[in-house]
Amino acid sequence: METIRKAVLPVAGWGTRFLPATKAMPKEMFPIIDKPVIQFIVEELLEAGIENVIFVTGRHKRPIEHHFDINTDLERHLEEAGKEEILKNIREISHMANPIYVRQKEQLGLGHAVLTAEPVVGYEPFLVSLGDIILENGSGALKDMIDIYNRFGKSVIALFEVAPEEVSKYGIAKVKEIEDGVYIIEDLVEKPLPEEAPSNLAIVGRYIFTPKIFDKLKETKPGKGGEIQLTDAMRLLLEEEAIYAYKFSGKVYDTGNPLDYLKTVFEFALKREDIAEELTQFIQEALSKRTQSIDIP
Ligand code: UTP
């Protein structure tokens, strides 16, 4: 059985929930304090042993390429300024992954983005990580998923529990538990009404696929908004192959919309020794003034 060597990171989406900020800047480059979201996701992959990272990008996503490239001018400047520590960090980022960039010329959906990577992935199993979701101890979750793949040789998706009233925001799975924390998928429903949801286990944005998914993506008809949905292709795959699921029990940080992004930034900031104390004080003062009206420009 082939091992998982490659990961596909679809980062070509419009990011409409974050406009106008995403008009010229990819949401994947938004900082969690001082590190862009996408770097957390690449680090997670590298820690899990994946070396080849295939970014599916679009024309407004160039900053992602620059971030993982060498910036000799900046390195020279930092060297001359004697800023050794940050220089070391900047050099590490330039050598962190073996990035490959594929263009999705039209944003025809997540499924279409994954299919765009087919010529680079080839006929082997691969991982998909969404570019705007950070997982707590994400590399541990990926390693567990890879273990499940190595045992069963079939696709594996990560699920997490959501509140029943939240199911309509996610792809939801009907599952059967086969052992502690490991499930087999029986059906998948995209954004169901709470009363129609088969469970409260939502797809979290980490997947391992056998290459058969590419055939299924080619057969998938465009759905809502003319987009080719990955969930629809997974339903077709289910007719032919088993899909396993791994239940992720850590925290999920969705950075693709303003409120959850802000929550993520605060939570990470409160974990940072150099920031936490002053930030806490600031929040307390801000809360105590909350009843006063504040004009925000
Ligand atoms: P999202 O559902 O978050 O879509 O896509 P989006 O376009 O980025 O954001 P909104 O909904 O308009 O605010 C999930 C992932 O799939 C990628 C996105 O970049 C994101 O990482 N994606 C989506 C593509 O690469 N191509 C697409 O055509 C659509």
Side-chain angles (χ1 to χ4, degrees), residues 58-101:
R59 59 194 154 287
H60 59 304
K61 300 284 179 156
R62 293 308 281 268
I64 297 175
E65 296 174 37
H66 295 319
H67 185 70
F68 293 104
D69 203 354
I70 295 175
N71 183 338
T72 44
D73 292 344
L74 175 64
E75 288 186 15
R76 197 176 318 116
H77 165 73
L78 293 172
E79 211 161 16
E80 283 166 11
K83 298 191 170 163
E84 291 301 326
E85 203 176 317
I86 187 70
L87 175 64
K88 187 170 164 274
N89 184 306
I90 292 296
R91 282 193 172 136
E92 274 168 14
I93 296 166
S94 320
H95 297 100
M96 143 174 298
N98 177 16
I100 301 160
Y101 298 95

Side-chain angles (χ1 to χ4, degrees), residues 137-277:
N137 186 18
S139 60
L142 294 187
K143 283 181 194 162
D144 288 347
M145 290 174 71
I146 292 170
D147 281 349
I148 297 172
Y149 170 79
N150 288 339
R151 286 174 56 205
F152 299 102
K154 292 286 181 277
S155 301
V156 184
I157 62 173
L159 301 173
F160 77 122
E161 255 176 62
V162 295
E165 61 275 16
E166 298 259 282
V167 290
S168 52
K169 288 200 224 157
Y170 298 93
I172 300 292
K174 182 172 183 226
V175 295
K176 194 166 91 194
E177 189 160 19
I178 53 167
E179 57 187 71
D180 198 22
V182 182
Y183 301 79
I184 191 144
I185 303 273
E186 291 183 332
D187 199 5
L188 294 161
V189 196
E190 190 61 34
K191 302 190 171 116
L193 293 170
E195 57 276 20
E196 285 164 14
S199 76
N200 64 340
L201 291 172
I203 300 174
V204 70
R206 299 293 185 272
Y207 317 75
I208 289 173
F209 288 119
T210 62
K212 249 218 169 92
I213 193 73
F214 292 129
D215 299 334
K216 300 301 160 193
L217 282 164
K218 285 173 204 160
E219 286 169 27
T220 304
K221 305 250 175 332
K224 223 186 272 172
E227 295 194 340
I228 295 178
Q229 306 287 354
L230 187 55
T231 311
D232 289 343
M234 287 194 283
R235 293 188 75 190
L236 292 179
L237 183 64
L238 263 184
E239 290 170 13
E240 229 173 277
E241 275 187 10
I243 301 181
Y244 290 81
Y246 161 77
K247 189 164 149 200
F248 175 69
S249 50
K251 248 190 128 163
V252 177
Y253 299 100
D254 181 357
T255 67
N257 67 80
L259 180 60
D260 288 321
Y261 168 73
L262 276 176
K263 288 184 189 168
T264 305
V265 173
F266 269 104
E267 198 162 326
F268 279 61
L270 291 172
K271 287 182 191 153
R272 281 258 299 245
E273 273 179 24
D274 57 333
I275 295 175
E277 203 176 313

